[in-house]
Amino acid sequence: MSVVQHVRDRAGHFRWMGLLVVWAVFIAMAAVLLIERAGVQYSAGQHKLGMLAATDAMPASSAIFGQKPTCLVISDSDQDGVEDVKDQFDQILLDMKIAHRDIDIATDGADAIPSLASFDRVIVLMPSLDALGTHLTDLMSWVSAGGSLMLGMTPESSGYLQAIAPKLGIDTVGYEYTTAESIVPSKDFMIGGGQRYEFSDPFKSSLLVSLRETAHVWAKTGDTEAPLIWSSDCGSGRTVVCNIGIYSKVMRGFYAAAISLLGGATAYPVINSAVFYLDDFPSPVPSGDGTYIKRDYGLSIADFYTRVWWPDLQKLAQKYDIRYTGVMIENYEDVVNQVEPVRQADTTQFRYFGGMLLQMGGELGFHGYNHQPLALSDTDYGTMYDYKTWKNRETLVAALNELIAFQDEVLPNAHGTVYVPPSNILSARARKIIGKDEPRIKTIASTYFEDGTDLPYVQEFGVASDGIVEQPRIVSGGMVDDTYMRLAAVSELNMHYVSTHFLHPDDLLDPDRGAKEGWEVYKGGLTDYLDWLTTSAPDLRHQTGSECSGAIQRFSSVTVSVDTSDDAWTLSLGNFHDEAWLMFRANNGEPGAVSGGEITHLTGNLYLVKATDKTVTIERKEGGDR
Ligand SMILES: [Zn+2]
């Protein structure tokens, strides 16, 4: 071989190598594209629940309006705390679509208690039963004849209580109270049962009682096993006593579960949705370093988000089948007086992170043109925040419109419909403006719980009178193993069969939200919650924000009545569209074959029913827990 030839061969060899590299790159790109296509097809093929037209969805109060009450609620607003408890029960019964009639002894008088013949259940909301006088005797005879009675509040010891104690399943009762520091619902009673849930500010809230052998205890305290919820058969009827003594919003699921013990069977509508929000996502990533991020990773904030935080969230999404709902922030300035707001010039991060989130089957909504909450001069932040208020209605609307236009420009496939208020703050005036002047916004996702100030926009799950879907977020951050949040989570699984969670990328910059503990601890808390949720409610649907809104519309609109015969339960649904989800507790008999829907066993005598028709018939067999 000549030297020349040798050189040419080598050159040729190098040319071939070059071509191979080009081919390899091509094949890699094709593979990426294929995987991406597959991703698109995968998410497109998933069943996504659409929203109903605003005219087809209605507030729960309208849905139930005019229904014949099957439940009588007797309260006495003269007694301590009764008014607040009554408010909670009104909301619980409304959401369960149990039409009820109210008698307040303080204003109506005990003699206003109507004939009990037309009611299935009576709920008594007053600690001292003395106010019922001789009507208590009538009530107990009605129970013996087949009625269902619930004492919703921790009873006060008195001669009246002593007189009916055996019928309530009580053996002995004195005047002593015991501290309910935690609640352990029995495994066969509730979703998430068989575990201990702590109360944040325990006090001596439960009456010390010993129960008869015939009483069935559904929940007790963790420390001394003091009974908190129990039922007792009484003649052909039944009594249920709630002895928790804590009635805040965070407890609703326990009371809903207790109410479902009344009657032969109870069916109530639920949402069936778990949603995961990423607030401030996408948004301009802060430049520079964060103290704790630098400490743990030696990375800038931007590099940390790209190389650690986002890949970890993607892994969680894959493992737990989550499609995140990100809500966009266009800039972090505090300009609140522009009629023509300035467009964000740097769109790279929006396209990169937003595009990937959509690629994963997620959804993008709106959080703000900037992070200034929508509030006008009538809002006073005091020393709580250094937010500004908007100059006037025009600048506020212009900023929202700009954010929507910006999303349409950088991520034209997003079609956002969900709005999350910055810091969960939204003034009453701004709330009205959204319903009237922002047709693109169909859902507001703020907060479920008060924070002790009047700043947050606190919501109930449902459809508002202006058609906006109210989708409160229940739990947040990575400290979901925090006792209050875990209590809230288990309560809402049983009340609405829902979990709404949000986290902020900048939680890792804020020592109050877990920055000091670091991302690994934060992620650990989140993983712990996701494990708990998946174990407690394996059938819970994981959805995006707007899909959850579709579920809330159906939940808010639907009504249900149960007709029991010897061999079947017939559930008749009003305002039924295409599907509805119901909790079903079979207190007397065991469910068999179902028509008009599907049934899934949850625990004990508790079932999840998917209705696919306005009439669902469930075969009723002998047995079951009564
Ligand atoms: Zn935010």
Side-chain angles (χ1 to χ4, degrees), residues 201-392:
D201 301 298
F203 64 103
K204 292 201 164 192
S205 60
S206 305
L207 190 62
L208 207 52
V209 292
S210 66
L211 300 182
R212 296 159 75 99
E213 292 236 310
T214 49
H216 188 136
V217 178
W218 299 99
K220 52 195 179 187
T221 63
D223 280 358
T224 62
E225 304 197 346
L228 296 180
I229 300 173
W230 68 87
S231 65
S232 180
D233 289 343
C234 172
S236 42
R238 182 180 239 196
T239 58
V240 173
V241 179
C242 296
N243 186 33
I244 311 168
I246 302 167
Y247 311 98
S248 45
K249 198 171 182 177
V250 74
M251 295 300 296
R252 281 183 184 167
F254 296 92
Y255 290 102
I259 290 169
S260 72
L261 292 169
L262 301 171
T266 301
Y268 62 96
V270 289
I271 298 166
N272 188 5
S273 182
V275 191
F276 300 89
Y277 280 95
L278 302 178
D279 285 12
D280 297 63
F281 188 92
S283 63
V285 178
S287 54
D289 295 331
T291 314
Y292 303 103
I293 290 172
K294 194 80 190 170
R295 175 195 69 188
D296 296 344
Y297 296 92
L299 294 172
S300 69
I301 296 171
D303 285 344
F304 168 74
Y305 285 141
T306 315
R307 290 201 230 154
V308 181
W309 185 83
W310 179 240
D312 279 353
L313 283 186
Q314 287 179 302
K315 276 176 218 148
L316 286 180
Q318 201 156 32
K319 182 171 176 201
Y320 294 98
D321 190 24
I322 293 170
R323 287 173 293 131
Y324 297 112
T325 302
V327 287
M328 284 172 67
I329 288 280
E330 189 170 335
N331 69 67
Y332 281 109
E333 312 296 319
D334 57 0
V335 180
V336 288
N337 58 5
Q338 290 170 330
V339 182
E340 284 179 47
V342 177
R343 173 74 42 104
Q344 168 67 261
D346 183 359
T347 61
T348 327
Q349 284 162 350
F350 291 91
R351 291 182 207 272
Y352 177 73
F353 286 114
M356 275 198 289
L357 183 139
L358 293 176
Q359 189 66 61
M360 291 158 65
E363 181 176 303
L364 287 175
F366 308 108
H367 195 28
Y369 168 67
N370 51 34
H371 209 276
Q372 304 297 313
L374 300 183
L376 296 162
S377 59
D378 55 344
T379 293
D380 182 8
Y381 290 112
T383 53
M384 282 281 290
Y385 298 94
D386 52 8
Y387 284 136
K388 291 182 175 174
T389 54
W390 293 81
K391 188 182 171 196
N392 51 33

